[in-house]
Every structure is written in structure tokens, then in C-alpha cells.
Amino acid sequence: MSGDSSSPAPAPASKLQRGFEAAMAACLGVMALAVFVNVVLRYGFGSGIAASEELSRLLFVWMVFIGATAAYPAGEHMAFTSLVGLLREKPALFGVATAVIRVLVVLGCALLAWGAWQQVVVGLDSRSVVLGYPVALLPLPALLCATAIGVMALIELIQRRPLDLGHGAEVE
């Protein structure tokens, strides 16, 4: 075998995407196992694991925000392209609409991050009832997601990257 490989190294974005997918799969796997074991114990033996519900809730919140973060660069968030699609033939107006959309995304992310940060601070002094983890772990993924999406949208705004109107779903 020769020293040079014919296949290029995976792009950092695809490695990050695979990392997101692995984290979501791990969350889903642990949640499914915890709920399944708890159901079997409750109906089969009349007892259950109290931590199962709390753990499943925490993992579900993390899974949702990891998924939202991973969906943004892939262009998989819900998009209403009807109006902006009409501007495709008018580059100047399309550019203005793109900038306005990205500014609104950054603003929305800033508001979400600010609210999540306040909840993280409040949750630092509280512990969950059963597992005893800091309650700040529940709003933390919202803060991280809002920060990540806000930074990505800001970079797209600065680079003047055009909107991707080629979503997988049918455009109305």
C-alpha cells in the first residue's frame, strides 16, 4: 500500500455533523433503554426507577437542541421561501431580503441565548429532585444552540452568502 491515500480527508463540517448525529443517537438510545426498563419494571414487577423519567427528560432536551444546531448549516430548518423566492430574479432585493432574514435570525438567537443564560444562572443553585444534577443542565443546550446558530448566521451575513432556496421539501 502506498503512502498517499486516494480518498480525501473528511471535511471538518462533516466530522462535526457525524459528532452531532452520534450524540443524538446516544441520547435516543439511553432514553429508549431507560424508558423500556422502567416500563418492564412497573408493569412486570410493580416497581420502577424514579430516575428514568428525569434522565429521559434531560436527554430529550439535549437531543432536540443538538438536532436544531446540526440542522442549521444543513439548511434543514423550516423555511418559508415563497416570498423571497419571487425575488430571485432581482439580485439587489434578494440580497436585502437575505440580510434582513439573517439579522432576524441573529436577533432571535440573541434573545433566546439571553433568556437561556438567565435560566442557567438561576439553575446553578438548584438540584434536580431525583438525580441531583444542577438544574442549569436543562436550559444549557438552548444557550449553546442559540449561540452556535447565531454565530453561523452572523458569519453568513458577513460573508454575504446567498440564501439556499433548494430545500428538500416542495417550495410553495
Side-chain angles (χ1 to χ4, degrees), residues 100-168:
V100 168
I101 290 168
R102 297 252 164 79
V103 166
L104 290 173
V105 168
V106 170
L107 178 62
C109 287
L111 292 171
L112 177 61
W114 175 249
W117 172 251
Q118 290 175 329
Q119 291 300 309
V120 167
V121 170
V122 168
L124 287 173
D125 296 331
S126 302
R127 297 268 175 204
S128 71
V129 176
V130 178
L131 290 174
Y133 62 81
V135 175
L137 287 178
L138 278 169
L140 182 62
L143 172 65
L144 298 175
C145 174
T147 303
I149 291 175
V151 167
M152 288 185 275
L154 187 60
I155 289 170
E156 291 172 345
L157 180 66
I158 291 168
Q159 292 177 345
R160 296 180 182 217
R161 191 175 307 160
L163 282 178
D164 178 18
L165 298 179
H167 297 284

Coordinates of all heavy atoms in Angstrom, one line a residue, residues 100-168:
V100 N -31.8 40.8 5.8 CA -32.9 41.0 6.8 C -33.2 39.7 7.5 O -33.3 39.7 8.7 CB -34.2 41.6 6.2 CG1 -35.4 41.6 7.1 CG2 -33.9 43.1 5.7
I101 N -33.3 38.6 6.7 CA -33.6 37.3 7.3 C -32.5 36.9 8.3 O -32.7 36.5 9.4 CB -33.8 36.3 6.2 CG1 -35.1 36.5 5.5 CG2 -33.7 34.8 6.8 CD1 -35.2 35.7 4.2
R102 N -31.2 37.1 7.9 CA -30.1 36.7 8.7 C -30.0 37.6 10.0 O -29.7 37.1 11.1 CB -28.8 36.8 7.9 CG -28.8 35.8 6.8 CD -27.8 34.7 7.0 NE -28.1 33.6 6.1 CZ -27.6 33.5 4.9 NH1 -27.0 34.5 4.3 NH2 -27.9 32.4 4.2
V103 N -30.3 38.9 9.8 CA -30.3 39.8 11.0 C -31.4 39.3 12.0 O -31.2 39.3 13.2 CB -30.5 41.3 10.6 CG1 -30.9 42.1 11.8 CG2 -29.3 41.8 9.9
L104 N -32.6 39.0 11.5 CA -33.7 38.5 12.3 C -33.3 37.2 13.0 O -33.6 36.9 14.2 CB -34.9 38.3 11.5 CG -35.6 39.6 11.1 CD1 -36.8 39.3 10.1 CD2 -36.1 40.4 12.3
V105 N -32.6 36.3 12.3 CA -32.1 35.0 12.9 C -31.1 35.3 14.1 O -31.2 34.8 15.2 CB -31.5 34.1 11.9 CG1 -30.8 32.9 12.5 CG2 -32.5 33.6 10.9
V106 N -30.2 36.2 13.8 CA -29.2 36.6 14.9 C -29.9 37.2 16.0 O -29.6 36.9 17.2 CB -28.1 37.6 14.3 CG1 -27.3 38.1 15.4 CG2 -27.3 36.8 13.3
L107 N -30.9 38.1 15.8 CA -31.7 38.7 16.9 C -32.4 37.7 17.7 O -32.4 37.7 18.9 CB -32.6 39.8 16.3 CG -33.5 40.5 17.3 CD1 -32.6 41.3 18.3 CD2 -34.5 41.4 16.6
G108 N -33.1 36.8 17.0 CA -33.9 35.7 17.6 C -32.9 34.9 18.5 O -33.3 34.5 19.6
C109 N -31.8 34.6 18.0 CA -30.8 33.8 18.7 C -30.3 34.5 19.9 O -30.1 33.9 21.0 CB -29.6 33.3 17.8 SG -30.1 32.1 16.6
A110 N -30.1 35.8 19.8 CA -29.6 36.6 20.9 C -30.7 36.6 22.0 O -30.3 36.5 23.2 CB -29.3 38.0 20.5
L111 N -31.9 36.8 21.7 CA -33.0 36.8 22.7 C -33.1 35.4 23.3 O -33.2 35.3 24.6 CB -34.3 37.2 22.0 CG -34.4 38.6 21.5 CD1 -35.7 38.8 20.7 CD2 -34.4 39.6 22.7
L112 N -33.0 34.3 22.6 CA -33.1 33.0 23.1 C -31.9 32.8 24.0 O -32.0 32.2 25.1 CB -33.1 31.9 22.0 CG -33.1 30.5 22.5 CD1 -34.3 30.2 23.4 CD2 -33.1 29.6 21.3
A113 N -30.7 33.2 23.6 CA -29.5 33.0 24.4 C -29.6 33.8 25.7 O -29.2 33.2 26.8 CB -28.2 33.4 23.6
W114 N -30.1 35.0 25.6 CA -30.2 35.8 26.9 C -31.1 35.1 27.9 O -30.8 35.0 29.0 CB -30.7 37.2 26.5 CG -30.9 38.1 27.7 CD1 -32.1 38.5 28.2 CD2 -30.0 38.5 28.6 NE1 -32.0 39.2 29.3 CE2 -30.6 39.3 29.6 CE3 -28.6 38.4 28.7 CZ2 -30.0 39.9 30.7 CZ3 -27.9 39.1 29.8 CH2 -28.6 39.8 30.7
G115 N -32.3 34.7 27.4 CA -33.2 34.0 28.3 C -32.7 32.7 28.8 O -32.8 32.4 30.0
A116 N -32.0 31.9 28.0 CA -31.4 30.7 28.4 C -30.3 30.9 29.5 O -30.2 30.2 30.4 CB -30.9 29.9 27.2
W117 N -29.5 32.0 29.2 CA -28.5 32.3 30.2 C -29.0 32.6 31.5 O -28.5 32.2 32.6 CB -27.6 33.5 29.7 CG -26.6 34.0 30.7 CD1 -26.7 35.2 31.4 CD2 -25.5 33.3 31.2 NE1 -25.6 35.2 32.3 CE2 -24.9 34.1 32.2 CE3 -24.9 32.1 30.9 CZ2 -23.7 33.7 32.8 CZ3 -23.8 31.7 31.6 CH2 -23.2 32.5 32.5
Q118 N -30.1 33.4 31.6 CA -30.8 33.7 32.8 C -31.2 32.5 33.5 O -31.1 32.3 34.8 CB -31.9 34.7 32.6 CG -31.5 36.1 32.2 CD -32.7 37.0 31.8 OE1 -33.7 36.5 31.4 NE2 -32.5 38.3 32.1
Q119 N -31.8 31.5 32.8 CA -32.2 30.3 33.4 C -31.0 29.4 33.9 O -31.1 28.7 34.9 CB -33.1 29.5 32.4 CG -34.4 30.1 32.1 CD -35.2 30.2 33.4 OE1 -35.4 29.3 34.1 NE2 -35.7 31.4 33.6
V120 N -29.9 29.4 33.1 CA -28.7 28.7 33.6 C -28.2 29.3 34.9 O -27.9 28.5 35.8 CB -27.6 28.8 32.5 CG1 -26.3 28.3 33.0 CG2 -28.0 28.0 31.3
V121 N -28.2 30.6 35.0 CA -27.7 31.2 36.3 C -28.6 30.8 37.4 O -28.2 30.5 38.5 CB -27.6 32.7 36.1 CG1 -27.4 33.4 37.4 CG2 -26.5 33.1 35.1
V122 N -29.9 30.9 37.2 CA -30.9 30.5 38.3 C -30.7 29.0 38.6 O -30.8 28.6 39.8 CB -32.3 30.8 37.8 CG1 -33.3 30.1 38.7 CG2 -32.6 32.3 37.7
G123 N -30.5 28.2 37.6 CA -30.4 26.7 37.8 C -29.1 26.3 38.5 O -29.0 25.1 38.9
L124 N -28.1 27.2 38.5 CA -26.8 26.8 39.1 C -27.0 26.4 40.6 O -26.2 25.6 41.2 CB -25.8 27.8 38.9 CG -25.2 28.0 37.5 CD1 -24.3 29.2 37.4 CD2 -24.5 26.7 37.1
D125 N -27.9 27.1 41.3 CA -28.1 26.9 42.7 C -29.1 25.8 43.0 O -29.4 25.6 44.2 CB -28.5 28.2 43.4 CG -27.4 29.2 43.3 OD1 -26.2 28.8 43.2 OD2 -27.7 30.4 43.2
S126 N -29.7 25.2 42.0 CA -30.8 24.2 42.3 C -30.3 22.9 41.8 O -29.6 22.8 40.8 CB -32.1 24.6 41.5 OG -32.5 25.9 41.9
R127 N -30.8 21.8 42.4 CA -30.5 20.5 42.0 C -31.8 19.8 41.6 O -32.9 20.1 42.2 CB -29.9 19.7 43.2 CG -28.6 20.3 43.6 CD -27.5 19.6 42.9 NE -26.2 20.2 43.2 CZ -25.2 20.1 42.3 NH1 -25.3 19.4 41.2 NH2 -24.0 20.6 42.6
S128 N -31.7 18.8 40.7 CA -32.9 18.1 40.3 C -33.3 17.2 41.5 O -32.5 16.8 42.3 CB -32.6 17.2 39.1 OG -31.8 16.2 39.4
V129 N -34.6 16.9 41.5 CA -35.1 16.2 42.7 C -34.6 14.8 42.8 O -34.2 14.4 43.9 CB -36.7 16.1 42.5 CG1 -37.3 15.3 43.7 CG2 -37.3 17.5 42.5
V130 N -34.5 14.0 41.8 CA -34.1 12.6 41.9 C -32.6 12.4 41.7 O -31.9 11.8 42.5 CB -34.9 11.7 40.9 CG1 -34.5 10.3 41.0 CG2 -36.4 11.9 41.2
L131 N -32.1 12.8 40.5 CA -30.7 12.6 40.2 C -29.7 13.5 40.8 O -28.5 13.2 41.0 CB -30.5 12.6 38.7 CG -31.2 11.5 37.9 CD1 -31.0 11.7 36.4 CD2 -30.5 10.1 38.3
G132 N -30.2 14.7 41.2 CA -29.3 15.7 41.9 C -28.4 16.4 41.0 O -27.4 17.1 41.5
Y133 N -28.6 16.4 39.7 CA -27.7 17.2 38.8 C -28.2 18.7 38.9 O -29.3 19.0 39.2 CB -27.8 16.7 37.3 CG -29.2 16.8 36.7 CD1 -29.6 18.0 36.2 CD2 -30.0 15.7 36.6 CE1 -30.9 18.1 35.6 CE2 -31.2 15.7 36.0 CZ -31.7 16.9 35.5 OH -32.9 17.0 34.9
P134 N -27.2 19.6 38.5 CA -27.6 21.0 38.6 C -28.7 21.3 37.5 O -28.6 20.9 36.4 CB -26.4 21.8 38.2 CG -25.3 20.8 38.4 CD -25.8 19.4 38.2
V135 N -29.8 22.0 37.9 CA -30.9 22.3 37.0 C -30.5 23.1 35.9 O -31.1 23.2 34.8 CB -32.1 22.9 37.8 CG1 -33.2 23.3 36.9 CG2 -32.6 21.9 38.9
A136 N -29.3 23.7 36.0 CA -28.8 24.5 34.9 C -28.5 23.7 33.6 O -28.4 24.2 32.5 CB -27.5 25.2 35.3
L137 N -28.4 22.4 33.8 CA -28.2 21.5 32.6 C -29.4 21.4 31.7 O -29.3 21.0 30.5 CB -27.8 20.1 33.1 CG -26.5 19.9 33.7 CD1 -26.2 18.5 34.1 CD2 -25.4 20.3 32.7
L138 N -30.6 21.8 32.2 CA -31.8 21.8 31.3 C -31.8 23.0 30.3 O -32.0 22.8 29.1 CB -33.1 21.8 32.1 CG -33.5 20.4 32.6 CD1 -34.6 20.5 33.6 CD2 -33.9 19.5 31.5
P139 N -31.5 24.3 30.7 CA -31.5 25.3 29.7 C -30.2 25.5 29.0 O -30.1 26.2 28.0 CB -31.8 26.6 30.6 CG -31.3 26.3 31.9 CD -31.6 24.8 32.1
L140 N -29.1 24.8 29.5 CA -27.8 25.0 28.9 C -27.8 24.6 27.4 O -27.2 25.4 26.6 CB -26.8 24.1 29.6 CG -25.3 24.2 29.1 CD1 -24.8 25.7 29.2 CD2 -24.4 23.3 29.9
P141 N -28.5 23.6 26.9 CA -28.4 23.3 25.5 C -29.1 24.4 24.6 O -28.7 24.6 23.5 CB -29.1 22.0 25.3 CG -29.9 21.8 26.6 CD -29.2 22.5 27.6
A142 N -30.1 25.1 25.2 CA -30.7 26.2 24.5 C -29.7 27.3 24.3 O -29.7 27.9 23.2 CB -32.0 26.7 25.2
L143 N -29.0 27.6 25.3 CA -27.9 28.6 25.3 C -26.9 28.3 24.2 O -26.5 29.1 23.4 CB -27.3 28.8 26.7 CG -26.1 29.7 26.7 CD1 -26.4 31.2 26.4 CD2 -25.4 29.7 28.1
L144 N -26.4 27.1 24.3 CA -25.4 26.6 23.3 C -25.9 26.6 21.9 O -25.2 27.1 21.0 CB -24.9 25.2 23.7 CG -24.2 25.1 25.1 CD1 -23.8 23.7 25.4 CD2 -23.0 26.0 25.2
C145 N -27.1 26.2 21.7 CA -27.7 26.1 20.4 C -27.9 27.5 19.8 O -27.6 27.8 18.7 CB -29.1 25.4 20.4 SG -30.0 25.4 18.9
A146 N -28.5 28.4 20.6 CA -28.7 29.8 20.2 C -27.4 30.5 19.8 O -27.3 31.2 18.8 CB -29.5 30.6 21.3
T147 N -26.4 30.2 20.6 CA -25.1 30.8 20.4 C -24.5 30.3 19.0 O -24.0 31.0 18.2 CB -24.1 30.5 21.5 OG1 -24.7 31.1 22.7 CG2 -22.7 31.2 21.3
A148 N -24.6 29.0 18.9 CA -24.0 28.4 17.7 C -24.7 28.8 16.4 O -24.1 29.2 15.4 CB -24.0 26.8 17.8
I149 N -26.0 28.8 16.4 CA -26.8 29.2 15.2 C -26.6 30.7 15.0 O -26.5 31.1 13.8 CB -28.3 28.8 15.4 CG1 -28.5 27.3 15.3 CG2 -29.1 29.5 14.3 CD1 -29.9 26.8 15.6
G150 N -26.6 31.5 16.1 CA -26.4 32.9 15.9 C -25.0 33.2 15.3 O -24.9 34.1 14.4
V151 N -24.0 32.5 15.7 CA -22.7 32.7 15.1 C -22.7 32.3 13.7 O -22.1 33.0 12.8 CB -21.6 32.0 15.9 CG1 -20.3 31.9 15.2 CG2 -21.4 32.7 17.3
M152 N -23.3 31.2 13.3 CA -23.3 30.7 11.9 C -24.1 31.7 11.1 O -23.6 32.0 9.9 CB -24.0 29.3 11.8 CG -23.1 28.2 12.4 SD -23.8 26.6 12.1 CE -24.9 26.4 13.5
A153 N -25.2 32.2 11.6 CA -26.0 33.2 10.8 C -25.2 34.5 10.6 O -25.2 35.2 9.6 CB -27.3 33.5 11.4
L154 N -24.5 34.9 11.7 CA -23.7 36.1 11.6 C -22.5 36.0 10.6 O -22.3 36.9 9.8 CB -23.1 36.5 13.0 CG -22.4 37.8 13.1 CD1 -23.3 39.0 12.7 CD2 -21.9 38.0 14.5
I155 N -21.9 34.8 10.5 CA -20.9 34.6 9.6 C -21.4 34.6 8.1 O -20.9 35.2 7.2 CB -20.2 33.2 9.8 CG1 -19.3 33.3 11.1 CG2 -19.3 32.8 8.6 CD1 -18.8 32.0 11.6
E156 N -22.6 34.0 8.0 CA -23.3 34.0 6.6 C -23.6 35.5 6.2 O -23.5 35.8 5.1 CB -24.5 33.2 6.7 CG -24.3 31.7 6.8 CD -25.5 30.9 7.0 OE1 -26.6 31.4 7.3 OE2 -25.4 29.7 6.8
L157 N -24.0 36.3 7.2 CA -24.4 37.7 6.9 C -23.1 38.4 6.5 O -23.2 39.2 5.5 CB -25.0 38.3 8.2 CG -25.4 39.8 8.1 CD1 -26.5 39.9 7.1 CD2 -25.8 40.3 9.5
I158 N -22.0 38.3 7.3 CA -20.8 39.0 7.0 C -20.2 38.5 5.6 O -19.8 39.4 4.8 CB -19.8 38.7 8.1 CG1 -20.2 39.5 9.4 CG2 -18.4 39.2 7.7 CD1 -19.4 39.1 10.6
Q159 N -20.3 37.3 5.3 CA -19.8 36.7 4.0 C -20.8 37.0 2.9 O -20.5 36.7 1.7 CB -19.6 35.2 4.1 CG -18.4 34.9 5.0 CD -18.3 33.3 5.1 OE1 -19.2 32.6 4.8 NE2 -17.2 32.9 5.7
R160 N -21.9 37.5 3.2 CA -23.0 37.8 2.2 C -23.3 36.6 1.4 O -23.5 36.6 0.2 CB -22.6 39.0 1.3 CG -22.4 40.3 2.0 CD -22.0 41.4 1.0 NE -21.9 42.6 1.8 CZ -22.2 43.8 1.3 NH1 -22.7 43.9 0.2 NH2 -22.0 44.8 2.1
R161 N -23.4 35.5 2.1 CA -23.7 34.2 1.5 C -25.2 34.2 1.1 O -26.1 34.5 1.9 CB -23.5 33.0 2.4 CG -23.5 31.7 1.8 CD -23.1 30.6 2.7 NE -21.8 30.8 3.3 CZ -21.4 30.2 4.4 NH1 -22.2 29.4 5.0 NH2 -20.3 30.5 4.9
P162 N -25.5 33.9 -0.2 CA -27.0 33.9 -0.6 C -27.8 32.8 0.1 O -27.2 31.8 0.5 CB -26.9 33.7 -2.1 CG -25.6 33.1 -2.4 CD -24.7 33.5 -1.3
L163 N -29.0 33.0 0.3 CA -29.9 32.0 0.8 C -30.0 30.8 -0.1 O -30.0 30.9 -1.3 CB -31.3 32.6 1.0 CG -31.6 33.5 2.1 CD1 -33.0 34.0 2.1 CD2 -31.3 32.8 3.5
D164 N -30.0 29.6 0.5 CA -30.2 28.4 -0.2 C -31.6 28.1 -0.3 O -32.3 27.8 0.7 CB -29.4 27.3 0.5 CG -29.6 25.9 -0.2 OD1 -30.0 25.9 -1.4 OD2 -29.4 24.9 0.4
L165 N -32.2 28.3 -1.5 CA -33.6 28.0 -1.7 C -33.9 26.6 -2.2 O -35.1 26.3 -2.4 CB -34.2 29.0 -2.7 CG -34.1 30.5 -2.3 CD1 -34.7 31.4 -3.4 CD2 -34.8 30.8 -1.0
G166 N -32.9 25.8 -2.3 CA -33.1 24.5 -2.8 C -33.3 23.4 -1.7 O -32.7 22.4 -1.6
H167 N -34.3 23.7 -0.9 CA -34.7 22.8 0.2 C -35.3 21.5 -0.3 O -35.8 21.5 -1.4 CB -35.7 23.4 1.2 CG -35.1 24.6 1.9 ND1 -34.2 24.6 2.9 CD2 -35.3 26.0 1.6 CE1 -33.9 25.8 3.3 NE2 -34.5 26.6 2.5
G168 N -35.1 20.4 0.4 CA -35.6 19.1 0.0 C -37.1 19.1 -0.1 O -37.7 18.4 -1.0

